[in-house]
Amino acid sequence: SQQGEEDPQALSIQEGENATMNCSYKTSINNLQWYRQNSGRGLVHLILIRSNEREKHSGRLRVTLDTSKKSSSLLITASRAADTASYFCATDKTGTYKYIFGTGTRLKVLA
Amino acid sequence: NAGVTQTPKFQVLKTGQSMTLQCAQDMNHEYMSWYRQDPGMGLRLIHYSVGAGITDQGEVPNGYNVSRSTTEDFPLRLLSAAPSQTSVYFCASSPRGLAGGRTDTQYFGPGTRLTVL
């Protein structure tokens, strides 16, 4: 079964708006990562947040982690057409070397 | 650095055929893994390795074999291809392994698109 589940499955916004997507997982983790995948391409790592961190920023990205709720959110501010992609969260379960990916959020940014 | 490379990019097989998907990385990463991605879905872990000579199963290992004789290479072998194995296959590597390395970021190859008829 999938460790991570993203919500919403699809999101369509106007350029300049903020995009928020959420990830829920099931077990204790070492860290949570967010990846972007452009259509038909490989995944690109965006940001990693460790289990003892609550918030992290990287450019226009802001990630939060709530380990009590087993959830994370990714905020993309001032979105651009180039942000159109699928976004996946991935977790590695404590005590294992297995990375488990969620089902993804398909983001479409309209120019 | 070339990063993570995968060959071939595309492959068509007939049911029952076997083949090997190649994956190589030149970053001296200990951790390597194989995923499959089916349409509209996330990635599912097939097998992974935390260092040369050490492999283990992921979520969906049935029908696949791996070996890790060197740090650089992590081939994925399909034993007897089935239509259910039609998918896009991604290889990834990470500094994280048994000897340490806490970055945990995974670097992905471009993928192999496999069709089994």
Side-chain angles (χ1 to χ4, degrees):
Chain A
S1 62
Q2 295 280 5
Q3 167 82 318
E5 299 289 340
E6 276 109 274
D7 169 61
Q9 289 187 332
L11 181 61
S12 186
I13 59 174
Q14 296 291 325
E15 204 168 31
E17 294 180 337
N18 295 343
T20 299
M21 50 205 86
N22 305 294
C23 169
S24 60
Y25 56 93
K26 296 178 182 176
T27 65
S28 61
I29 61 173
N30 291 316
N31 65 69
L32 186 144
Q33 304 172 48
W34 285 91
Y35 289 82
R36 184 185 73 224
Q37 183 181 36
N38 291 93
S39 180
R41 309 287 290 274
L43 276 73
V44 174
H45 181 262
L46 295 176
I47 195 165
L48 179 153
I49 186 165
R50 299 203 182 277
S51 59
N52 60 354
E53 297 175 313
R54 291 298 168 257
E55 187 171 315
K56 204 162 182 180
H57 297 256
S58 176
R60 293 184 298 113
L61 306 179
R62 173 178 169 254
V63 170
T64 61
L65 179 65
D66 187 335
T67 53
S68 66
K69 294 181 179 179
K70 293 187 170 56
S71 66
S72 173
S73 67
L74 171 67
L75 168 68
I76 304 174
T77 60
S79 60
R80 306 165 180 168
D83 295 329
T84 294
S86 291
Y87 292 82
F88 296 92
C89 68
T91 55
D92 70 331
K93 183 179 174 182
T94 303
T96 78
Y97 288 87
K98 298 181 182 181
Y99 292 90
I100 304 297
F101 280 77
T103 51
T105 293
R106 295 187 308 279
L107 173 66
K108 188 169 186 178
V109 181
L110 304 170
Chain B
N1 287 352
V4 180
T5 57
Q6 292 183 237
T7 56
K9 290 185 178 179
F10 301 93
Q11 183 70 48
V12 179
L13 292 177
K14 294 181 180 177
T15 296
Q17 287 185 316
S18 64
M19 80 158 295
T20 300
L21 307 185
Q22 301 292 343
C23 174
Q25 53 92 9
D26 60 0
M27 297 173 283
N28 202 32
H29 286 170
E30 292 186 1
Y31 185 96
M32 296 187 74
S33 55
W34 276 101
Y35 297 87
R36 61 177 288 174
Q37 184 178 32
D38 298 310
M41 296 190 63
L43 280 69
R44 290 184 292 171
L45 182 65
I46 304 171
H47 286 286
Y48 66 97
S49 168
V50 297
I54 305 170
T55 63
D56 205 347
Q57 296 181 348
E59 287 182 278
V60 288
N62 292 341
Y64 307 95
N65 271 357
V66 292
S67 60
R68 184 95 180 270
S69 56
T70 67
T71 299
E72 294 78 20
D73 300 299
F74 191 43
L76 177 72
R77 183 166 178 81
L78 278 70
L79 308 172
S80 177
S84 61
Q85 293 179 304
T86 293
S87 189
V88 181
Y89 291 83
F90 290 100
C91 178
S93 74
S94 168
R96 181 188 186 195
L98 287 179
R102 292 295 302 164
T103 304
D104 295 334
T105 298
Q106 290 198 87
Y107 298 83
F108 281 82
T112 294
R113 190 173 296 273
L114 175 69
T115 301
V116 183
L117 303 175

